[in-house]
Amino acid sequence: VVKMVNTLKKEGVPINGIGTQLHIDIRTPAEGIDRAFHALASTGLLVRISELDIKVNPSNDPAFVLTKEAEEKQAEKCRYVLRSFFRNIPAKQRYGITFWNLGDEDSWIVRALHDKDNPTLFDKDYHPKPMFYAVWNFFREIKSAAAH
C-alpha cells in the first residue's frame, strides 16, 4: 500500500492521508507494529488508525474464558500500539485513532466471525475493561506532559 501511495503521489494524484486497520491480537509482534507505523509515516501523509481492536483469543478456542491475565495482556498491547503510534508518527502527521466497535457483543469479530473473543474497550455489558483504562491513562499522561 505504501508503494502504491508513493507511486500515486509521484503521478500527482491528490492524497492527503493513509490509514491502517489494526485488527491485531495479544500476540502481534511489537516489531511489526513499529514497522507498520514507520512505513506509513515515511509517506509524509496524515496517518490514522482507522480501526483498532485486539483479540484475546487468537487461536479461536471455542472453550475460551476471559481472564484478568488476558485482559491485562490486551491492555498492555493497546498501550504499546498507542506508544508506537506517538513514537513513530510525527505530531504533524497524526490524524486520529478509531477503536472498532464499542462493546464485545458489538464486535465484528464476535458477530460476523462467530469467534469467542473480547476485542473491544468495553465488556458485553458496556463496563470498561483494562484496555479502556490503558487508553484513558495514556492520553492523560500525554495531556499532563504537554502541560509541563
Side-chain angles (χ1 to χ4, degrees), residues 44-82:
L45 299 172
L46 296 172
V47 177
R48 176 186 183 122
I49 299 174
S50 57
E51 300 179 11
L52 175 59
D53 49 34
I54 303 173
K55 291 179 70 167
V56 291
N57 182 18
S59 60
N60 299 322
D61 179 356
F64 175 78
V65 176
L66 185 64
T67 63
K68 286 291 180 196
E69 179 185 358
E71 285 184 322
E72 287 303 325
K73 286 181 180 179
Q74 181 186 50
E76 182 53 41
K77 185 61 68 177
C78 187
R79 276 189 287 276
Y80 191 88
V81 167
L82 297 174

Side-chain angles (χ1 to χ4, degrees), residues 14-130:
I15 298 175
N16 299 337
I18 188 168
T20 182
Q21 296 181 7
L22 282 179
H23 301 296
I24 62 174
D25 65 56
I26 58 175
R27 298 185 306 200
T28 300
E31 303 80 29
I33 294 166
D34 292 338
R35 274 194 312 274
F37 288 141
H38 182 75
L40 294 172
S42 74
T43 65
L45 299 172
L46 296 172
V47 177
R48 176 186 183 122
I49 299 174
S50 57
E51 300 179 11
L52 175 59
D53 49 34
I54 303 173
K55 291 179 70 167
V56 291
N57 182 18
S59 60
N60 299 322
D61 179 356
F64 175 78
V65 176
L66 185 64
T67 63
K68 286 291 180 196
E69 179 185 358
E71 285 184 322
E72 287 303 325
K73 286 181 180 179
Q74 181 186 50
E76 182 53 41
K77 185 61 68 177
C78 187
R79 276 189 287 276
Y80 191 88
V81 167
L82 297 174
R83 286 184 195 128
S84 181
F85 183 81
F86 275 74
R87 184 175 60 249
N88 291 296
I89 308 295
K92 66 180 183 194
Q93 286 181 258
R94 292 183 210 134
Y95 192 66
I97 300 169
T98 301
F99 287 84
W100 205 240
N101 296 118
L102 187 60
D104 288 333
E105 292 294 313
D106 303 319
S107 169
W108 71 280
I109 292 168
V110 174
R111 296 180 97 193
L113 301 181
H114 307 291
D115 288 353
K116 187 163 184 174
D117 214 306
N118 306 81
T120 68
L121 296 167
F122 296 88
D123 68 17
K124 65 181 180 69
D125 297 316
Y126 301 102
H127 297 118
K129 297 184 336 195

Side-chain angles (χ1 to χ4, degrees), residues 5 7-16 45:
V5 165
T7 299
L8 291 170
K9 282 175 49 181
K10 286 179 188 170
E11 293 175 3
V13 175
I15 298 175
N16 299 337
L45 299 172

